[in-house]
Amino acid sequence: MTEFDKIGYAQIGLLVLGTILMFVVPLVIAIVWTKKKKERFTTVLVGAATFFLFAMVLEKPLLAVLIAPTQMGLADTGISQFINERPVLWAFIVGLFPGVFEETGRLVAYKTVLKKRINRETSISHGIGHGGFEVMFILGATYATYIVYALMINTGTFGAVMEEVMAKAPKQADSIVAVVNGIASFSFANLTLSIVERIFAVLFHIGESIIVFYACRNKERFWLYPLAILLHTALDFISGLTIAGIWNPSAWALEGIVGLFGVLTFCGAFFLLYKKDLLLTQP
């Protein structure tokens, strides 16, 4: 049976704290915002549903089929091989898919279920739902999974699971071992970095929701929709470059870039569109 060193109580405690924060804080922000602005909480839920449907149900599987078909139980194709042999192209596609799908999701939401909600607060409510659910789904659920792994390791049941994984999917086993090593060394700095990154990401999503909201309210400003796609693609393209190993900045330097994107996108959308409300006219 494969043996793993036990996970310390400090690491488990930080993971528990992180899980609580990632689930509770977005919910509290959504409740406070909707109460203060007398907004419908269903708009926040539509934002969450937009992320889940367009990012998780549609985008992620289609992207996997395109660049990593083996993850979907399919054989490699000429297209996937062509893309994977060109890291810059790979990074661009990894950035393009979230840009197109998530911003189109916002557009569809504003044009359908939120069509009659033309008050400017709708844009921020939707952004809080979109960004907040992403926090819960990506970090909250991930940390919760890490806690389960840690408890299984400490009770001695994880080794048997790993042996089964290694027998059936050895490539996946390597990634799980890397995750376990990350759990064992999880620190307050790691948690802080994750929190900072999510704050900037939520600001970015709120800014993007504002931009697409106004694109839907004035045909002459519809160019804001492709602008939102461009901004989203650029941000994820940078992340794709680091994943592909083309560019290797420090973790804090990368967060600085994410922070710059998040703050500039939010401030531009908030002060040029939301605050002045220049475009809130029916087409």
Side-chain angles (χ1 to χ4, degrees):
M1 180 181 293
T2 306
E3 296 292 337
F4 293 92
D5 293 334
K6 288 190 175 183
I7 307 299
Y9 290 116
Q11 282 69 41
I12 295 176
L14 286 171
L15 288 171
V16 171
L17 175 61
T19 302
I20 294 172
L21 289 175
M22 298 308 166
F23 279 103
V24 173
V25 173
L27 185 60
V28 169
I29 291 173
I31 292 173
V32 171
W33 167 259
T34 52
K35 291 291 185 181
K36 182 177 180 180
K37 295 295 181 178
K38 295 182 173 57
E39 272 283 280
R40 300 180 188 178
F41 196 79
T42 50
T43 305
V44 176
L45 296 179
V46 170
T50 300
F51 169 78
F52 181 75
L53 175 60
F54 283 84
M56 305 311 301
V57 176
L58 298 177
E59 174 216 328
K60 292 296 188 290
L62 290 175
L63 180 60
V65 168
L66 181 64
I67 66 174
T70 55
Q71 294 182 1
M72 306 297 289
L74 304 172
D76 273 329
T77 65
I79 295 176
S80 65
Q81 292 174 359
F82 180 85
I83 294 172
N84 285 287
E85 289 170 358
R86 293 160 176 80
V88 175
L89 176 61
W90 182 91
F92 173 72
I93 292 175
V94 165
L96 180 64
F97 265 62
V100 171
F101 277 85
E102 291 186 41
E103 303 317 317
T104 300
R106 297 182 217 268
L107 183 75
V108 171
Y110 290 139
K111 288 290 189 179
T112 56
V113 292
L114 300 178
K115 186 176 182 179
K116 295 182 179 180
R117 301 185 189 183
I118 62 173
N119 55 304
R120 63 179 185 171
E121 288 80 11
T122 295
S123 62
I124 292 184
S125 297
H126 184 277
I128 290 173
H130 187 121
F133 185 76
E134 184 183 55
V135 170
M136 295 178 180
F137 192 88
I138 292 179
L139 274 186
T142 298
Y143 284 169
T145 301
Y146 288 174
I147 293 170
V148 173
Y149 283 179
L151 294 177
M152 290 177 66
I153 290 169
N154 287 354
T155 56
T157 59
F158 194 73
V161 175
M162 275 301 301
E163 287 189 351
E164 184 176 349
V165 173
M166 290 174 69
K168 296 181 179 179
K171 291 183 179 179
Q172 185 179 354
D174 292 338
S175 63
I176 294 177
V177 170
V179 168
V180 170
N181 291 334
I183 295 172
S185 60
F186 192 77
S187 66
F188 185 76
N190 296 132
L191 179 60
T192 301
L193 189 65
S194 297
I195 292 173
V196 170
E197 190 271 339
R198 283 298 100 192
I199 290 172
F200 289 139
V202 171
L203 286 176
F204 179 79
H205 282 302
I206 293 174
E208 289 283 88
S209 288
I210 293 172
I211 291 171
V212 178
F213 175 81
Y214 284 98
C216 294
R217 293 298 177 261
N218 190 318
K219 289 182 179 179
E220 294 181 357
R221 301 287 182 163
F222 191 74
W223 57 269
L224 289 168
Y225 163 62
L227 173 63
I229 293 177
L230 178 63
L231 290 171
H232 203 146
T233 299
L235 178 58
D236 283 359
F237 174 60
I238 292 172
S239 297
L241 290 175
T242 63
I243 296 171
I246 299 171
W247 185 43
N248 297 296
S250 67
W252 286 103
L254 182 60
E255 293 312 318
I257 295 172
V258 173
L260 186 63
F261 259 92
V263 171
L264 289 179
T265 300
F266 173 78
C267 288
F270 184 81
F271 290 108
L272 297 179
L273 298 174
Y274 179 89
K275 193 71 173 178
K276 293 184 177 180
D277 210 10
L278 296 175
L279 310 179
L280 192 53
T281 58
Q282 287 297 324

